[in-house]
Amino acid sequence: MNLQIISRVPRSFPMYYNISVCLPLLLLVLTATSVLAMKKAVDVAEENWKWLLADEWMVAFVAPWCPACRRMHEAWQEFSDFSENKGFTVAKVDITKNPGLSGRFMVTALPTIYHVSDGVFRQYRGARDLDSLISFIEQKKWEHIKPISKWKHPSSLQMTIVAKFFEWSYHIRAIHTYLVDQGIPYWASYCLFALATVIIGAVLGLMIVACLDYVFPGRPQEYQQAPEVTEREGSDLEEEEPSQGTTKIDRGDIKDKPDNKTNKKKSKKID
């Protein structure tokens, strides 16, 4: 009988062994399936950022090196899964890949979250946990937040110019990094950029002056001959004008005026 029990143990052992191995694998598959089933946040880039101008969105500006962004990542993914069939979309922007968007939206801190409703942007400043994000949408707390001004709107001309400057600065930094990696000293790289800045500034200045001269040409000055001055006009010009507060005396009046001495002599004779 003991032999029978011992003989049965090896037969049942593989079954327990298979269960102990398959159960963790099954749990792993279920976990992976649930993760894949979660709705991922939409990646917004330079090419498709205008999607935000329609419908309702919650968009976060993040960076891989940002600790706060990494802490918010799980809650943001769950929030994206919650947004399915709720009438709004959750998105994210990686500013390391899209530097122009960080300038267009004036991102000064990470993570920065915006709520968008039909092209109206409002900055979310609440907590970054899942419950706070859900209550912000369900209770429509965004209605009590003042929208950003028109001159800061991402689609405005001035913000488009700012976005271009951010893109150029990113490319310049990439060139600087490449030059340094090739063995060029930092000071030499800075000198090259300074020289290039001076040359580009001079060329742009000449182009602007040429365009202004073409659009607003100056009037040609006609040569005018000086009029001839006659003797009479010359004598009139030589006469000095009486200064203000003085009276011009006519010479004829002086001749006609009798002398005081002659008047006195006449009065004595009469006496």
Side-chain angles (χ1 to χ4, degrees):
M1 185 174 179
N2 293 332
L3 294 174
Q4 292 178 355
I5 295 174
I6 294 172
S7 62
R8 289 177 183 176
V9 172
R11 293 179 182 177
S12 60
F13 179 74
M15 181 179 65
Y16 292 108
Y17 177 76
N18 291 334
I19 292 175
S20 63
V21 172
C22 292
L23 185 59
L25 291 176
L26 181 62
L27 293 175
L28 182 62
V29 171
L30 292 175
T31 304
T33 305
S34 61
V35 171
L36 293 175
M38 292 179 63
K39 182 181 178 181
K40 292 184 178 180
V42 178
D43 290 323
V44 177
E46 298 281 355
E47 297 78 16
N48 61 354
W49 76 268
K50 290 188 177 181
W51 290 357
L52 302 176
L53 300 179
D55 301 327
E56 187 176 2
W57 295 75
M58 285 287 286
V59 55
F61 291 81
V62 296
W65 47 263
C66 172
C69 299
R70 290 197 294 265
R71 289 194 298 268
M72 191 190 71
H73 177 73
E74 184 177 355
W76 196 252
Q77 287 299 117
E78 293 177 358
F79 185 52
S80 177
D81 186 49
F82 168 80
S83 67
E84 190 173 5
N85 300 324
K86 298 293 183 180
F88 72 99
T89 307
V90 176
K92 61 183 176 67
V93 179
D94 187 353
I95 64 169
T96 59
K97 298 179 181 178
N98 305 280
L101 291 182
S102 63
R104 187 181 293 274
F105 287 86
M106 294 298 290
V107 177
T108 57
L110 293 176
T112 297
I113 302 174
Y114 279 99
H115 174 270
V116 191
S117 178
D118 295 328
V120 180
F121 290 79
R122 297 175 174 87
Q123 187 171 356
Y124 173 79
R125 300 182 183 274
R128 302 185 184 100
D129 58 278
L130 181 61
D131 295 335
S132 300
L133 293 170
I134 291 175
S135 63
F136 180 78
I137 293 296
E138 289 184 340
Q139 299 177 15
K140 295 186 177 182
K141 295 180 180 180
W142 51 268
E143 293 180 348
H144 305 288
I145 300 176
K146 184 179 179 181
I148 62 174
S149 57
K150 291 183 179 180
W151 71 275
K152 283 186 177 181
H153 197 275
S155 61
S156 62
L157 176 61
Q158 53 270 20
M159 299 313 297
T160 302
I161 296 174
V162 172
K164 292 299 180 183
F165 274 112
F166 271 70
E167 290 180 10
W168 294 340
S169 64
Y170 176 79
H171 293 311
I172 290 172
R173 184 176 181 180
I175 295 172
H176 170 71
T177 304
Y178 174 78
L179 293 176
V180 172
D181 292 340
Q182 296 299 318
I184 297 177
Y186 278 91
W187 63 268
S189 177
Y190 290 141
C191 290
L192 288 175
F193 281 112
L195 181 61
T197 302
V198 172
I199 294 174
I200 293 173
V203 172
L204 290 177
L206 290 174
M207 291 175 62
I208 292 172
V209 171
C211 291
L212 291 176
D213 190 36
Y214 178 78
V215 176
F216 305 103
R219 294 181 179 179
Q221 296 181 356
E222 297 180 357
Y223 177 75
Q224 296 180 356
Q225 187 176 2
E228 296 181 358
V229 181
T230 60
E231 294 181 359
R232 178 62 181 171
E233 292 176 351
S235 61
D236 293 340
L237 292 174
E238 291 177 357
E239 293 182 359
E240 295 182 356
E241 294 292 335
S243 60
Q244 188 175 2
T246 59
T247 305
K248 186 176 181 181
I249 301 174
D250 192 0
R251 294 180 180 179
D253 296 339
I254 296 174
K255 292 180 180 179
D256 297 338
K257 188 175 181 180
D259 192 2
N260 292 332
K261 293 181 179 180
T262 56
N263 291 336
K264 289 180 180 180
K265 290 180 180 180
K266 289 180 180 181
S267 61
K268 287 181 180 180
K269 289 180 180 181
I270 294 171
D271 294 338

